Amino acid sequence: MDLRRTMLFMPGNNPGMLQNGGVLGADSVILDLEDAVSPQEKDAARFLVSQALRFVDYRGSERVVRINSLDTFAAQDIEAIVPCQPDALMVPKVQCAEEIHEVEQLIAKTEFPGQRPVKIIALIETPRGIAECYPIARASKRLVALAFGAEDYTATLGAERTKEGLEIVTARSLLVNAAAAAAIQSIDTPFTDVNDFEGLARDTAFAKQIGFKGKLTINPRQIDVIHERFNPRQDEIVWAQQVIAAIEQAKIQGSGVIALNGKMIDAPIVSRAERTIQLARRVGLLTEGREQ
Amino acid sequence: MSQMLTATQSGTLESNDIMITLAPNFKGSGIKLELESVVLAQYGEVLRQVILDTVTSQGVTDVLIKAVDRGALDCTVRARVLVALERAGVKIRSLAEKTSN
Amino acid sequence: MKNLLGREIPEFADGYGKITPFNGAFSHQPSITRQSTRLKTIKPRQSKLLTNIEAVFDKVPIQDGMTLSFHHHLRNGDGLVNQVLAIAEKRGMKGLKIALSSIFPVHAPIVDYIKQGIVTSLDTNYISGPVAEAVSCGILDTPVILRTHGGRARAIEYGQLKIDVAFIAAPAADDYGNMNGIMGPAACGSLGYAFPDAEYADNVVAVTDYLVDYPLSPVSIPQTRVDYVVKVASVGDPTGIVSGTTRITKDPVGLKIAATAAKVIEAVGMIKEGFSFQTGAGGASLATAHFVRQMMEKAGVTGSFALGGITGYMVEMLEQGLFKKILDVQGFDLDAIHSIATNPNHLEISAGFYASPFNNGCAVNKLDCVVLGATEIDTSFNVNVVTGSDGMIMGGSGGHSDAAAGANLTIIVANLLRGRLSTIVDRVTTAATPGETIDVLVTERGIAVNPRRQELKACLIKAGLPIREINELKEVAEKISGTPKPIKTGDKIVALVEYRDGTMIDVVHQIRH
């Protein structure tokens, strides 16, 4: 299971941040060549990120590079970065499936034989991108997640961006649904007030509730709060264990229909329970043989 | 062999970074390196070696280099030297080729 | 000869005398007595007030070769040391020993006084700025004596640091010599580090820029020990006295370390009623207080006391009821000054009360936990807070060794890598605090527990914390940075690093360019 509860942005031209990116505990680090780097330093950041990918130990964090958009430096970024074996590239401002195809081709051209295929994460930041979510989500085998960028989206929409986020409810839901339909992950927009941890907790709880699997993270201090919200709650773990136990029991008894507390257990419920157990194990809330 | 034509700069004076200034040198005059570092006593020789190796790996033979180091790791030093060379018009060979750390 | 930590130290040093090698944090128990001062009388209606500092030189009289002491409560805003030495210069004096509890960049003129032979010896607990650099380069013929805060009190109490004249910068005083630190333009809060000087110096001078009607109240240092009072235009620059509002670090790595340190404290079960705590004012140490505070709030516990150098952050915790008392030997900011002046649960304590190893119990002994920093730590957990990795003096123990010795749990918080340099080394450049008094090292890349504390290690592993051997952490750092070339120092000894009990834990050699 690819865990992407937190995907932490780090400026691509800052050696201090790049070398410490692995100690902060994010599931993914995003080494950013786009917004965090000024146009005249794009070349420098490309060299620095290339070197960081090859020599910095990110200690289990997935290594994602946010490249520039296709109409600017994407081709140069891909040529420089892909041979340095990042786990994934994040493509900004994706508006249609063709862009993913284009990125896919550029990656394939640069990958060396035998290299572990570089994944793609599409960042959806415009109303058009939201409208095209499903085709985008199905555009490539490399595509593992759709991520949402609400700031540019609301600007284009002409709506005021608020903390409550009513203006992005539809976009979030459409994106989550498209990703789920294509069996890939959905990653929520960052929470931009880095000093409001209660607001962050609320926003993250909502994101989880509507189906997001993780959240873009703009400050390391947000990591713990986001992880806590995406981790399975104790009652969820207990429920999942009961579901699994009921299935085991039914197998032993050879009974076809399985019920828990009077409710039928069908395939989607089983897979949700399994996901919960798996996640709980991954984040250390459950260890094998000590599951009570 | 790459000939450097223009003076360029890269990097910053922030902690963990290194600022590299390159200037062309007369053909045949070799590589001249002036190095300042907060860890000169402990890592001066290593820094010198990384800078010289990076420059020569790109086929540049005549250049004046000024490096002001604020505790950069080798990978940062290489990145800053390479971008300064590229900015000076040197065509950089593939970044993916394995270099020892 | 070599001491217990294997540090090469001389048997004798000029300006110091016979050296006793460090042989364990609690092994030295000399049979000695407290010093006493000459009895003095003062007749009714006799005035202590002198017109200026120079008059003190005439009255005492101050002679070549004497020891003059000062406290450092005014920190980098101190105006008194330079005023007094300017008079010594004017009078053509030679060979003075300056016992100033900490030396700051503002004391740069001392370098010039050393060059002129006016000052020939320094006795201090912490030294930074131009004086530290000059000392490192070998400007003095006799080595600087570096003590701990508790060790200085001990040395004064037992006459090992004999003070001829104590000049005490007093933010407020009356004409009979009562002093406190909480009033006037140079208010600094606690005067804790000046107490031993006032108690044991042959002559005590109160110097103030805020003279109030007799009797001053409250009294920190009493009239009974004071010979003269001088009013001057200014004893210090308030902007250099307070270190500004103390803020929690924003550095993500520092915060990560602090959060981990707090988890260590929680994992060993210390977040409970009666918890006592000390933390430094800077970087990750103060940030640890922030996370400890959240845990105390969540658990609903009340600590017994917070100790040491006090910041507004600890004051907030006192006011919030998270601690019952503050024991304050030194205040760092305006909130600390305001609190000690107004809150009866915020107590002023002396350097000896705080940390002297040779009295019938100092406050650090009552600490559950202290969180401290380090410039370097070696694989035997010995800590350097005196020199930089290049061998240059840039600090001193201050209360580091004292609190580490006293507390039940001593945690070092430090970035494993600072720039390119690893904090963990095979052998610290200078040993200041012995490894036997350090329990846990917390870095951004893992925690190491002193092998002497196996029970702690078991606790932390059970709590799921990332425990590694200190050697492993060192290897992690060297994998990133490469192995540093050892630095070369000169032969001349420029500083003696005295442990709190008066034994010699290490020496500092001249820097070589």
Side-chain angles (χ1 to χ4, degrees):
Chain A
M1 184 200 311
D2 291 325
L3 208 52
R4 294 193 184 86
R5 295 167 299 174
T6 45
M7 300 188 77
L8 176 67
F9 283 106
M10 347 214 70
N13 200 32
N14 182 326
M17 294 288 283
L18 289 181
Q19 75 195 48
N20 284 322
V23 307
L24 301 169
D27 290 335
S28 308
V29 291
I30 305 172
L31 317 182
D32 190 12
L33 298 175
E34 199 214 11
D35 284 355
V37 180
S38 65
Q40 63 273 18
E41 289 292 328
K42 295 289 185 194
D43 55 348
R46 213 175 279 138
F47 278 101
L48 202 57
V49 168
S50 300
Q51 289 286 328
L53 284 170
R54 287 160 57 204
F55 297 110
V56 176
D57 178 4
Y58 285 98
R59 310 206 315 168
S61 294
E62 179 185 45
R63 304 161 317 143
V64 181
V65 177
R66 177 161 74 169
I67 59 172
N68 288 281
S69 59
L70 275 164
D71 54 354
T72 57
F73 308 102
Q76 284 158 273
D77 292 344
I78 291 171
E79 195 190 337
I81 298 301
V82 166
C84 300
Q85 308 185 61
D87 296 308
L89 296 184
M90 176 175 276
V91 186
K93 301 189 178 67
V94 176
Q95 306 222 60
C96 60
E98 287 68 37
E99 293 176 41
I100 298 299
H101 294 145
E102 208 176 316
V103 169
E104 189 174 36
Q105 281 163 18
L106 288 169
I107 292 175
K109 219 167 64 186
T110 330
E111 268 174 349
F112 57 80
Q115 177 174 351
R116 204 153 63 98
V118 174
K119 297 167 190 160
I120 300 173
I121 293 166
L123 185 54
I124 311 293
E125 306 176 80
T126 61
R128 168 139 187 246
I130 292 292
E132 297 284 331
C133 264
Y134 185 58
I136 292 170
R138 288 173 49 95
S140 167
K141 270 193 195 141
R142 292 178 187 264
L143 196 77
V144 292
L146 299 184
F148 181 40
E151 304 309 309
D152 286 358
Y153 169 80
T154 43
T156 314
L157 197 64
E160 189 193 346
R161 181 81 178 91
T162 67
K163 224 174 231 187
E164 295 67 36
L166 276 176
E167 70 283 0
I168 58 169
V169 168
T170 306
R172 276 171 149 173
S173 297
L174 286 171
L175 184 142
V176 167
N177 189 68
I184 63 172
Q185 287 182 334
S186 48
I187 310 297
D188 192 28
T189 189
F191 187 75
T192 52
D193 183 347
V194 296
N195 292 313
D196 178 4
F197 293 102
E198 277 168 30
L200 173 66
R202 265 197 309 276
D203 198 48
T204 309
F206 177 71
K208 179 185 174 184
Q209 188 187 352
I210 65 170
F212 279 107
K213 299 296 176 284
K215 197 162 175 60
L216 298 176
T217 309
I218 52 170
N219 190 301
R221 290 155 66 207
Q222 298 181 322
I223 292 172
D224 282 352
V225 176
I226 297 177
H227 281 181
E228 198 181 317
R229 295 293 149 169
F230 274 112
N231 286 349
R233 294 185 311 267
Q234 202 50 45
D235 60 304
E236 288 177 294
I237 297 172
V238 169
W239 170 83
Q241 286 173 321
Q242 285 170 346
V243 170
I244 304 296
I247 294 168
E248 297 295 324
Q249 189 65 25
K251 268 189 201 151
I252 293 163
Q253 292 171 351
S255 110
V257 183
I258 312 159
L260 175 65
N261 302 334
K263 280 186 192 162
M264 245 253 296
I265 301 176
D266 52 12
I269 288 189
V270 173
S271 75
R272 200 181 120 208
E274 281 169 351
R275 262 204 318 272
T276 301
I277 297 283
Q278 220 178 348
L279 182 57
R281 283 196 184 131
R282 264 297 287 281
V283 303
L285 291 172
L286 268 183
T287 44
E288 305 271 355
R290 188 174 64 86
E291 302 199 347
Q292 287 314 312
Chain B
M1 182 185 302
S2 305
Q3 187 60 39
M4 256 192 51
L5 298 173
T6 45
T8 58
Q9 199 168 60
S10 69
T12 69
L13 295 177
E14 307 272 309
S15 185
N16 304 303
D17 206 345
I18 183 169
M19 188 180 263
I20 302 284
T21 311
L22 299 182
N25 207 354
F26 299 111
K27 202 168 165 53
S29 54
I31 300 171
K32 188 168 167 273
L33 168 60
E34 189 187 316
L35 173 65
E36 256 178 57
S37 172
V38 290
V39 290
L40 197 66
Q42 298 94 337
Y43 289 102
E45 280 167 31
V46 177
L47 287 166
R48 197 167 272 281
Q49 201 55 48
V50 172
I51 294 169
L52 295 178
D53 285 353
T54 309
V55 171
T56 50
S57 77
Q58 300 301 321
V60 174
T61 49
D62 304 304
V63 61
L64 299 171
I65 309 167
K66 185 171 185 277
V68 184
D69 170 54
R70 292 282 186 266
L73 299 179
D74 291 353
C75 59
T76 301
V77 176
R78 270 195 298 273
R80 294 316 193 194
V81 173
L82 287 170
V83 75
L85 287 169
E86 189 179 69
R87 286 172 180 180
V90 176
K91 173 98 181 77
I92 301 300
R93 297 166 190 173
S94 168
L95 296 184
E97 69 191 45
K98 288 277 175 193
T99 342
S100 63
N101 194 2
Chain C
M1 60 182 165
K2 279 195 160 69
N3 67 15
L4 184 72
L5 303 183
R7 318 299 296 203
E8 186 63 42
I9 53 171
E11 289 176 25
F12 181 89
D14 285 340
Y16 183 85
K18 191 176 173 304
I19 286 171
T20 310
F22 172 78
N23 193 37
F26 301 100
S27 75
H28 187 56
Q29 286 175 324
S31 172
I32 47 174
T33 53
R34 261 170 210 278
Q35 73 146 318
S36 52
T37 54
R38 192 164 51 85
L39 182 140
K40 289 183 185 174
T41 58
I42 190 160
K43 298 202 171 72
R45 283 165 299 282
Q46 188 178 333
S47 172
K48 294 184 180 182
L49 208 54
L50 299 181
T51 47
N52 53 40
I53 295 173
E54 184 149 18
V56 178
F57 278 68
D58 291 325
K59 273 276 187 185
V60 170
I62 296 178
Q63 291 162 340
D64 290 355
M66 276 189 165
T67 297
L68 312 183
S69 88
F70 302 86
H71 67 72
H72 73 277
H73 285 289
L74 306 183
R75 278 181 289 274
N76 204 38
D78 176 59
L80 183 58
V81 174
N82 295 340
Q83 281 182 61
V84 170
L85 289 177
I87 292 163
E89 180 187 29
K90 188 181 141 201
R91 295 168 72 96
M93 304 195 66
K94 297 286 176 206
L96 296 174
K97 176 173 188 166
I98 301 304
L100 164 56
S101 48
S102 293
I103 300 174
F104 286 91
V106 72
H107 299 118
I110 289 179
V111 175
D112 199 44
Y113 297 131
I114 291 172
K115 284 182 188 155
Q116 295 180 55
I118 299 165
V119 173
T120 52
S121 182
L122 297 174
D123 190 309
T124 186
N125 311 340
Y126 180 96
I127 175 167
S128 65
V131 181
E133 284 167 30
V135 167
S136 288
C137 293
I139 193 175
L140 280 164
D141 290 334
T142 57
V144 170
I145 302 162
L146 281 172
R147 306 185 196 264
T148 73
H149 284 331
R152 183 179 193 270
R154 183 263 313 147
I156 293 171
E157 286 158 6
Y158 294 89
Q160 292 144 353
L161 170 53
K162 187 82 187 67
I163 299 166
D164 294 301
V165 186
F167 283 95
I168 299 179
D174 63 31
D175 67 352
Y176 222 44
N178 293 302
M179 299 176 240
N180 72 38
I182 61 173
M183 293 146 70
C188 61
S190 174
L191 285 179
Y193 291 126
F195 280 49
D197 305 46
E199 192 66 26
Y200 293 100
D202 278 348
N203 299 277
V204 178
V205 185
V207 184
T208 190
D209 53 16
Y210 191 74
L211 194 66
V212 303
D213 290 340
Y214 184 87
L216 170 77
S217 171
V219 174
S220 283
I221 294 175
Q223 63 190 42
T224 48
R225 285 291 308 136
V226 179
D227 299 277
Y228 306 108
V229 178
V230 182
K231 181 168 188 301
V232 294
S234 167
V235 294
D237 170 13
T239 58
I241 295 171
V242 294
S243 35
T245 39
T246 35
R247 286 200 191 88
I248 305 299
T249 177
K250 287 235 157 100
D251 166 45
V253 176
L255 283 169
K256 161 98 184 173
I257 294 169
T260 310
K263 283 179 195 159
V264 167
I265 297 169
E266 188 177 44
V268 301
M270 280 190 171
I271 306 292
K272 62 176 188 211
E273 282 299 303
F275 177 57
S276 59
F277 188 49
Q278 176 172 342
T279 178
S285 325
L286 184 62
T288 307
H290 171 73
F291 292 107
V292 165
R293 175 185 187 163
Q294 288 178 346
M295 289 169 177
M296 291 175 76
E297 283 169 356
K298 206 171 156 195
V301 303
T302 305
S304 55
F305 70 96
L307 178 66
I310 298 302
T311 62
Y313 203 81
M314 301 317 264
V315 168
E316 270 179 43
M317 291 179 78
L318 175 74
E319 288 171 359
Q320 203 187 328
L322 291 170
F323 285 111
K324 286 184 182 159
K325 310 279 183 204
I326 284 178
L327 302 182
D328 183 348
V329 69
Q330 173 179 217
F332 280 112
D333 54 23
L334 290 173
D335 293 331
I337 297 168
H338 179 73
S339 172
I340 201 171
T342 56
N343 191 334
N345 292 317
H346 186 149
L347 312 176
E348 181 179 34
I349 60 168
S350 74
F353 187 116
Y354 168 45
S356 170
F358 293 169
N359 55 27
N360 290 356
C362 55
V364 293
N365 292 352
K366 300 289 279 179
L367 274 175
D368 286 331
C369 177
V370 65
V371 179
L372 300 166
T375 315
E376 292 175 327
I377 181 165
D378 67 26
T379 46
S380 309
F381 287 83
N382 300 312
V383 173
N384 173 18
V385 282
V386 173
T387 48
S389 306
D390 55 358
M392 181 81 84
I393 297 174
M394 36 66 53
S397 181
H400 196 283
S401 310
D402 299 311
N408 190 20
L409 173 66
T410 300
I411 300 174
I412 300 290
V413 287
N415 289 52
L416 182 59
L417 288 172
R418 259 185 281 252
R420 187 171 182 149
L421 291 171
S422 170
T423 299
I424 306 176
V425 293
D426 285 323
R427 192 181 148 80
V428 281
T429 309
T430 309
T433 298
E436 66 175 288
T437 62
I438 305 295
D439 301 310
V440 180
L441 165 69
V442 179
T443 76
E444 74 279 20
R445 290 166 206 267
I447 300 169
V449 182
N450 193 325
R452 303 166 63 99
R453 301 296 301 263
Q454 288 300 329
E455 82 291 0
L456 277 181
K457 188 173 172 180
C459 250
L460 302 186
I461 289 172
K462 202 171 157 209
L465 288 167
I467 307 298
R468 310 177 78 160
E469 295 302 320
I470 193 164
N471 284 308
E472 287 173 14
L473 285 176
K474 183 174 108 46
E475 280 160 24
V476 167
E478 287 189 353
K479 194 162 167 245
I480 296 167
S481 283
T483 312
K485 215 176 110 185
I487 55 147
K488 289 201 180 81
T489 54
D491 292 333
K492 180 176 173 179
I493 293 172
V494 296
L496 303 171
V497 185
E498 203 186 56
Y499 191 57
R500 58 199 300 256
D501 62 4
T503 61
M504 202 56 64
I505 191 160
D506 207 350
V507 296
V508 180
H509 288 270
Q510 182 174 1
I511 206 152
R512 193 196 269 183
H513 287 289

